[in-house]
Amino acid sequence: MVRSMADRGEIVWTPAPDAFATSRLGDLAAFVSERSGQPMHSYDALLTWSLDDPRAFWNAFAEWAGVRWHDLPSSTLEGGLPHPRWFPGGTLNYAEHALAHADGPAAPTTAAIVALSQTRDRVELTWTELRDQVASCRAGLVRLGVRSGDRVGAFLPNVPEAVVLLLACASIGAVFSSCAPEFGVRAVIDRWSQLEPTVVVAVDGYRYGARLIDRRDHVVRIVAALPSVQHLVWLPYVEPGEKHAEKHAEKHAEKHGDAADLSWEGLCSGSAEMRVDETVAFDPVPFDHPLYVLFSSGTTGLPKPIVHGHGGITIEHLKKMAVHHDLRPGSRVMWFSTTGWMMWNLLVSGLLVGATIVLFDGDPAWPDLGTLWRIAADEHLDVLGVSAPFIMACRKAGIEPAEVADLGRLRQLGSTGAPLPREGFRWIRDHVGRHVQPCSVSGGTDVCTAFVGSAPSVPVRAGEISVRMLGCDVRAVDPDGADCPPGTTGELVVVAPMPSMPVGLWGDVDGGRYRSTYFETYPGRWHHGDWITFHEDGACEITGRSDATLNRGGVRLGTSDFYTVVEAIPEVVDSVVVHLEDPDGGVGELILLVSCRPGVGLDEDLRRSIRSSLQTELSPRHVPDVIDQVPAIPRTLSGKKLEVPIKRLLLGRPADEVASRGSLSDPSALDGVQAWVNTYRARSAR
């Protein structure tokens, strides 16, 4: 696919004339100019330098950002892809950076965390309170025998206790891993059985909108399947009270008598002799020491356990939060996420730059789609992050955020999880506010950051991601690995090391699985699996997963283009498109499944409307051979559509092999698709 300048969207946001000079980006550029002797008067100049000389860039950035070394590194970078070594010899601790602002004079009165929930009342922790809670939790973990390298599992919602636990683990050098409580039992077991945690901290339940969801039996079953667990810590979230752990200890002991139960209060109420303001409270660890393990979505097979290191996360998140989001002490940021998505880990890193992080646990559509917009106003957010599907749902529902709430302070609206269509950018401009920068980003769990995103001094065009992120040498390449010319769609690859590339995959001792996952397709280059198109000015468009490619007669079609058109039709709630190739080389069969709003059926009139819209707005090649209805479109818990698993269903694989139900937001949606596939295959066999 080739896109010309005439095909590009209009500019929907323009920075103020002094945006570069007054932002933290400008501060960094001035610092780099002084150190390097090279003038850095624009984002492009700084980006080019960061890609041409990554060692010099990351070394200068670490100095500018104030990385707190215990032992100084011997160099900046040794080796290259697939196994680079960043800052060898250097030691540091992520938790020390996250709590650095607890030493300031305003720490006793300034909020570090604000937590909002549909389960309990608003919670606010000052920097001093956060520091003290981490100290107490750390002391409790040490009493339980947790040491550097031990794994701790968090079956917790997006609450302050999850942040406290992460920082306490990090301060020791223990390895943290979180699963959101909406995960199914099997999904959690599939993840944590690979890590063998010794301690699990779990919630009793939660409320999602008006629904009360009990998770006590889930926790008991999970821990019973994990022989490594020595201690189960209960957080009474739905049912507060000191006796919570005692009430459930007997039931738990019947199924897993080896683990001792206690409450969160019991864990944290011991002696606080290990104060956070003492050096011993932050055990220095090597740059690549494991900080936490994130997991791939696990739609097929066991989820990949992706290990991220203290140093890589610290330096990359400092860059993203300070430079790309322009956050600083006094800023307030929220990204809607659960603890099962990497955006939660990124949100926690708002603490690194002294920002107040705002947590939200609940249904963003309850009591209506105005909930997050009201939070943005009430909590005086500078940056709000959501998903692209949420933005498009607000647009379709006719929500008027600027009328629902005063969004005068909001300056940036982040969007991720899927490509944001042009209409989404225009909706932000027209209905959220022209002063709000649309910040579409794309990256992933694998690097726990974004490859491409926004910068405070770079204009935004409808449908486009504005810039490569600093230090991210991202390119579009053809099947032979050659760079694609501007305007041409290719595979997204990264050709130079990034600090937050994984330390490895847990249990992958020789690195073979890591190399085959990311470097097999293009040796020496990180292959991410997205279709991307770069333009002359460095902006880009992502049009879907390359493993879900629709190839009609040799023409590649991006799935995001389909969804923009189909889901704009009022009767359609959601959709998924797959392509079945013809083994004899024909055009194959293009299948579109839709779910409709309540009370609406897919009749011939609606089919004709869908076909006509696709033919008119895209091309005749985009018109599906089959359009049919299913009750719901299966999505992962992070909102991604199951394009490849549905294709495998169509090719005859059973549902339980193509996707892990515990990783789906609505497991019954997969049953609906399976039933449709059975009918389709029976019809095709006649």
Side-chain angles (χ1 to χ4, degrees):
M1 181 186 300
V2 179
R3 295 175 183 260
S4 68
M5 186 65 186
D7 294 331
R8 298 177 66 182
E10 74 279 13
I11 293 176
V12 294
W13 179 84
T14 303
D18 63 348
F20 183 79
T22 59
S23 66
R24 298 203 72 190
L25 170 64
D27 294 342
L28 173 62
F31 178 86
V32 167
S33 296
E34 182 181 342
R35 290 294 190 278
S36 68
Q38 302 181 47
M40 301 286 172
H41 299 314
S42 68
Y43 181 83
D44 283 346
L46 191 57
L47 174 65
T48 299
W49 183 69
S50 76
L51 303 184
D52 289 347
D53 196 345
R55 286 177 172 82
F57 167 74
W58 286 109
N59 186 57
F61 179 81
E63 184 180 354
W64 175 80
V67 171
R68 299 183 171 207
W69 301 108
H70 287 252
D71 296 296
L72 291 174
S74 57
S75 63
T76 302
L77 175 63
E78 292 181 355
L81 296 175
H83 297 295
R85 285 196 66 208
W86 285 99
F87 296 98
T91 61
L92 74 173
N93 192 289
Y94 173 85
E96 183 173 8
H97 291 81
L99 291 170
H101 294 270
D103 296 332
T109 58
T110 303
I113 297 177
V114 173
L116 308 166
S117 168
Q118 292 168 348
T119 304
R120 67 182 179 192
D121 293 338
R122 182 180 186 276
V123 174
E124 182 170 316
L125 295 182
T126 67
W127 285 98
T128 300
E129 290 168 336
L130 175 61
R131 179 196 64 190
D132 291 347
Q133 288 195 21
V134 172
S136 297
C137 183
R138 173 195 163 104
L141 292 173
V142 170
R143 286 196 306 275
L144 296 184
V146 175
R147 299 292 183 266
S148 180
D150 289 347
R151 279 77 65 204
V152 175
F155 189 68
L156 297 173
N158 188 10
V159 292
E161 291 88 345
V163 180
V164 169
L165 182 63
L166 165 57
L167 298 182
C169 290
S171 74
I172 300 169
V175 185
F176 175 89
S177 179
S178 58
C179 287
E182 60 264 31
F183 277 32
V185 171
R186 174 46 55 188
V188 180
I189 294 171
D190 285 348
R191 286 160 171 77
W192 287 351
S193 61
Q194 300 180 69
L195 300 185
E196 300 179 307
T198 57
V199 175
V200 167
V201 181
V203 75
D204 55 350
Y206 60 97
R207 285 185 174 86
Y208 192 76
R211 291 184 294 142
L212 175 62
I213 300 169
D214 192 319
R215 278 296 182 255
R216 290 171 295 185
D217 185 61
H218 273 54
V219 173
V220 170
R221 291 164 59 196
I222 289 165
V223 176
L226 299 172
S228 61
V229 177
Q230 300 171 15
H231 300 278
L232 171 59
V233 180
W234 287 98
L235 172 64
Y237 190 44
V238 170
E239 183 183 346
E242 297 180 6
K243 302 297 183 182
H244 186 336
E246 297 177 14
K247 289 176 62 177
H248 304 296
E250 183 177 348
K251 180 179 180 182
H252 169 241
E254 292 174 2
K255 297 192 177 183
H256 191 65
D258 295 334
D261 284 29
L262 69 159
S263 68
W264 174 261
E265 184 178 354
L267 174 71
C268 299
S269 63
S271 170
E273 68 275 5
M274 290 187 177
R275 297 290 301 176
V276 187
D277 55 2
E278 296 175 4
T279 304
V280 68
F282 298 117
D283 296 348
V285 295
F287 192 88
D288 58 0
H289 184 84
L291 170 63
Y292 41 63
V293 177
L294 305 182
F295 288 90
S296 62
S297 59
T299 51
T300 57
L302 286 178
K304 294 192 302 292
I306 303 165
V307 183
H308 288 289
H310 275 247
I313 290 299
T314 297
I315 198 167
E316 170 60 34
H317 286 188
L318 276 168
K319 182 206 74 179
K320 189 173 191 307
M321 301 306 264
V323 178
H324 290 278
H325 294 292
D326 200 26
L327 294 170
R328 60 191 81 199
S331 299
R332 296 170 76 90
V333 56
M334 184 181 100
W335 207 294
F336 176 75
S337 178
T338 71
T339 56
W341 189 21
M342 58 139 290
M343 294 309 301
W344 180 81
N345 301 76
L346 186 64
L347 173 61
V348 172
S349 288
L351 298 172
L352 298 176
V353 296
T356 299
I357 61 172
V358 178
L359 316 179
F360 174 69
D361 174 45
D363 181 355
W366 186 86
D368 55 59
L369 283 167
T371 294
L372 297 186
W373 306 113
R374 288 188 288 269
I375 290 173
D378 294 344
E379 298 300 335
H380 309 291
L381 296 182
D382 297 282
V383 176
L384 169 64
V386 294
S387 67
F390 175 80
I391 291 172
M392 298 308 289
C394 288
R395 174 180 178 268
K396 194 163 190 175
I399 298 295
E400 296 288 348
E403 295 179 6
V404 168
D406 179 0
L407 300 175
R409 174 162 170 168
L410 187 69
R411 56 176 175 78
Q412 192 179 78
L413 180 64
S415 169
T416 191
L420 181 64
R422 292 182 183 183
E423 291 76 9
F425 285 78
R426 293 168 182 144
W427 182 83
I428 294 170
R429 175 194 63 197
D430 297 337
H431 300 273
V432 181
R434 290 180 177 271
H435 65 287
V436 177
Q437 179 185 17
C439 174
S440 181
V441 302
S442 184
T445 300
D446 311 82
V447 289
C448 199
T449 190
F451 301 118
V452 289
S454 65
S457 63
V458 179
V460 179
R461 286 183 179 272
E464 296 183 3
I465 300 175
S466 303
V467 297
R468 292 174 172 88
M469 308 292 267
L470 293 177
C472 299
D473 201 343
V474 190
R475 303 186 190 178
V477 299
D478 65 20
D480 296 325
D483 287 357
C484 293
T488 303
T489 302
E491 291 267 10
L492 189 160
V493 300
V494 185
V495 303
M498 291 170 52
S500 69
M501 283 176 172
V503 173
L505 302 179
W506 191 267
D508 181 29
V509 178
D510 65 358
R513 186 184 179 195
Y514 175 76
R515 291 189 295 274
S516 66
T517 298
Y518 301 111
F519 297 96
E520 189 171 70
T521 305
Y522 298 100
R525 293 181 165 196
W526 173 287
H527 176 222
H528 198 63
D530 283 337
W531 288 125
I532 191 167
T533 309
F534 281 103
H535 299 292
E536 289 277 7
D537 59 4
C540 67
E541 298 174 62
I542 291 181
T543 48
R545 294 288 300 171
S546 58
D547 55 6
T549 303
L550 312 174
N551 192 334
R552 297 278 276 179
V555 178
R556 292 193 306 240
L557 309 174
T559 56
S560 65
D561 295 327
F562 272 81
Y563 303 142
T564 298
V565 174
V566 173
E567 291 165 23
I569 296 171
E571 295 85 353
V572 177
V573 172
D574 204 357
S575 64
V576 64
V577 63
V578 295
H579 181 239
L580 296 182
E581 292 85 359
D582 182 352
D584 297 324
V587 296
E589 190 170 33
L590 195 61
I591 297 171
L592 176 68
L593 300 179
V594 301
S595 64
C596 299
R597 59 182 172 84
V600 173
L602 180 66
D603 56 19
E604 284 308 311
D605 287 342
L606 182 52
R607 283 191 174 91
R608 278 194 294 271
S609 176
I610 293 172
R611 291 191 185 100
S612 175
S613 296
L614 288 168
Q615 181 166 356
T616 302
E617 299 187 41
L618 297 179
S619 77
R621 291 181 182 271
H622 290 76
V623 177
D625 302 291
V626 175
I627 303 175
D628 225 329
Q629 182 177 3
V630 292
I633 302 300
R635 289 178 176 263
T636 67
L637 286 164
S638 60
K640 300 186 186 303
K641 303 186 189 197
L642 268 65
E643 295 162 329
V644 173
I646 290 174
K647 183 174 181 177
R648 290 173 177 157
L649 280 180
L650 285 160
L651 294 174
R653 297 275 296 278
D656 287 338
E657 287 186 14
V658 305
S660 168
R661 293 175 184 274
S663 68
L664 306 182
S665 59
D666 177 10
S668 67
L670 188 63
D671 297 326
V673 173
Q674 177 70 82
W676 179 87
V677 167
N678 293 342
T679 302
Y680 165 83
R681 288 177 59 81
R683 186 171 64 239
S684 301
R686 294 193 190 110

